[in-house]
Amino acid sequence: MATRVETPSTASSSTKKQSSNGMKTFRTYFGVAIVVVWGLLPFYWMVVTAFRDVDYTYSTNPLPSNITLENFRAAFSTEAGNQFARALGNSLIIGVATTVFAMIVGVFAAYALARLNFRGKFIVLGIILGASMFPGVALVTPLFQLFTNIGWIDTYQALIIPNISFVLPLTIYTLTAFFREMPWELEESARIDGCTKGQAFRMVILPLAAPGLFTTAILAFIASWNEFLLASLLSDDTVRPVTVEIARFQGALPKVEPYTTVMAAGTIVTIPLIIMVLLFQRRIVAGLTAGGVKG
Amino acid sequence: MAAASPSSSGARGSGSGWWGRQSNARKREHLETLLGLVGFFTLAALVTTVWAELSGRPALIEVGVLVLFLAAFYFTYRSWQGYRDP
């Protein structure tokens, strides 16, 4: 058995290396901490204010103080004319419908763009990219005019259809990138085993693309859930989504913004998104295809 | 007016930087995507200009934007053609 004799020079270089590694780890964690604090601080402040008594709305105490659940009760109360619960339901309907339609169309479009060879394929991708870059505010007036003419103002379809057009480019782009990375051999093997192109897509490609599909669906849902601009003009009392409802929250006193109630409503609104990510986080993890192909 | 055709300038498959490292097939794909992107906005500018003209509003700015997009579309198209498959 060979014994390693540590000379002073090797010991010093090993200590130096350890110290350098320690510094590197510290820098990494410090950077991560800054990003996390930067990202979570507004949410922390929202939650702290949501639980704070209305008399202490402007308190600058960073720790939770004067805790009460009254703000959450006030958020759901309809006494001041707020319809928060209905708005939550509306947002859910609009978000789910948008996500489902966008995913159905997006999956086929992305598969075609990633796997099939046809003339002008990249021109289509460019057009989709252009459509996603088109400023939403430029569409507000024409859409308002159009939907007024056909009597669609304050209907679900008036919010769902424009939302689909905003979410679809995101869906197609994300799924195209995902399908492109999947090994061709899997599909070819399925074809050799007797599958048609459609069967290979349905039985082999789609199950393997599940993490990408879930990730894209979550992104589409979040984009639709957070939409404000079009909803603020195209919706009225019946189908108003939660983003618009919070913006027009009325407090008990006239001309006094009910900040604590708004924060409570904001906290409630973020809960479905957190639940979705927690439920599907295992599906989101990439690498389902790892080991699917030999060599 | 001559577009910077890769075959004429000898730039095909050569050059440095990100663009130079791309294969001709990839360059063609990138240019085709750009063509779609510019084409989309050219069409949008065309519709806006025609609408402004038909409704009798001053359309000088719209026409200017359309001309810029048309020029961009033309140069992208010429570059794209330069990487056409043999």
Side-chain angles (χ1 to χ4, degrees):
Chain A
M1 195 174 79
T3 356
R4 189 167 165 236
V5 182
E6 209 165 81
T7 59
S9 65
T10 55
S12 133
S13 93
S14 147
T15 319
K16 222 181 243 178
K17 205 172 178 184
Q18 272 179 0
S19 147
S20 157
N21 280 344
M23 197 59 200
K24 214 173 182 179
T25 313
F26 171 75
R27 278 205 306 262
T28 306
Y29 280 105
F30 186 68
V32 169
I34 288 176
V35 172
V36 168
V37 169
W38 185 272
L40 290 185
L41 203 60
F43 290 99
Y44 173 75
W45 197 252
M46 179 179 78
V47 175
V48 167
T49 315
F51 283 100
R52 191 166 275 162
D53 192 282
V54 71
D55 293 335
Y56 298 88
T57 302
Y58 299 104
S59 164
T60 50
N61 185 355
L63 298 172
S65 58
N66 309 101
I67 293 169
T68 176
L69 289 174
E70 184 56 26
N71 299 320
F72 292 90
R73 195 201 62 77
F76 282 102
S77 165
T78 52
E79 281 166 22
N82 303 327
Q83 296 289 343
F84 184 62
R86 191 163 71 183
L88 266 178
N90 288 338
S91 275
L92 201 65
I93 291 168
I94 294 163
V96 169
T98 304
T99 307
V100 169
F101 279 112
M103 288 303 291
I104 290 169
V105 179
V107 162
F108 291 110
Y111 179 79
L113 288 167
R115 302 293 222 181
L116 308 179
N117 280 322
F118 57 91
R119 211 175 152 82
K121 180 165 93 168
F122 291 94
I123 292 180
V124 175
L125 261 181
I127 291 170
I128 293 166
L129 188 64
S132 71
M133 287 166 71
F134 206 77
V137 72
L139 296 172
V140 170
T141 312
L143 279 178
F144 184 76
Q145 204 168 359
L146 174 71
F147 290 160
T148 306
N149 290 345
I150 59 176
W152 272 20
I153 295 291
D154 203 27
T155 57
Y156 284 115
Q157 63 267 31
L159 299 178
I160 292 168
I161 291 171
N163 265 352
I164 291 173
S165 72
F166 287 129
V167 167
L168 204 53
L170 169 91
T171 314
I172 292 173
Y173 245 81
T174 316
L175 287 176
T176 304
F178 198 82
F179 280 132
R180 209 176 270 163
E181 278 174 17
M182 287 180 71
W184 282 91
E185 289 86 348
L186 290 169
E187 202 177 342
E188 281 167 6
S189 309
R191 295 294 304 280
I192 289 165
D193 287 345
C195 282
T196 61
K197 250 191 160 134
Q199 283 173 327
F201 173 67
R202 209 174 62 245
M203 293 170 175
V204 177
I205 300 295
L206 269 190
L208 288 171
L213 295 180
F214 276 104
T215 312
T216 314
I218 288 168
L219 290 175
F221 183 81
I222 291 171
S224 170
W225 182 265
N226 287 335
E227 205 284 320
F228 175 81
L229 183 69
L230 288 174
S232 64
L233 281 156
L234 302 177
S235 67
D236 213 339
D237 287 337
T238 322
V239 300
R240 185 179 291 135
V242 78
T243 45
V244 183
E245 182 64 27
I246 290 176
R248 59 171 295 282
F249 249 18
Q250 303 285 325
L253 299 169
K255 295 185 179 175
V256 176
E257 189 70 30
Y259 286 116
T260 47
T261 315
V262 169
M263 294 299 178
T267 306
I268 296 164
V269 166
T270 52
I271 288 171
L273 303 181
I274 293 168
I275 290 173
M276 269 180 65
V277 172
L278 288 178
L279 276 178
F280 297 126
Q281 66 174 346
R282 289 182 66 184
R283 287 294 221 168
I284 294 170
V285 175
L288 201 71
T289 54
V293 178
K294 277 187 180 177
Chain B
M1 190 167 63
S5 162
S7 50
S8 62
S9 64
R12 189 186 286 264
S14 64
S16 59
W18 175 82
W19 184 251
R21 285 197 301 274
Q22 306 292 312
S23 68
N24 280 345
R26 283 299 285 163
K27 284 178 184 172
R28 186 177 159 77
E29 286 173 10
H30 288 313
L31 284 168
E32 202 171 305
T33 308
L34 187 64
L35 201 64
L37 181 71
V38 176
F40 173 81
F41 282 105
T42 310
L43 194 68
L46 178 71
V47 171
T48 314
T49 310
V50 169
W51 184 254
E53 291 288 0
L54 289 179
S55 57
R57 286 187 290 116
L60 191 63
I61 294 172
E62 281 86 345
V63 169
V65 171
L66 178 62
V67 167
L68 285 176
F69 272 120
L70 279 173
F73 187 81
Y74 172 75
F75 285 118
T76 313
Y77 179 73
R78 288 294 303 269
S79 305
W80 175 66
Q81 273 199 322
Y83 289 102
R84 180 179 276 179
D85 296 330

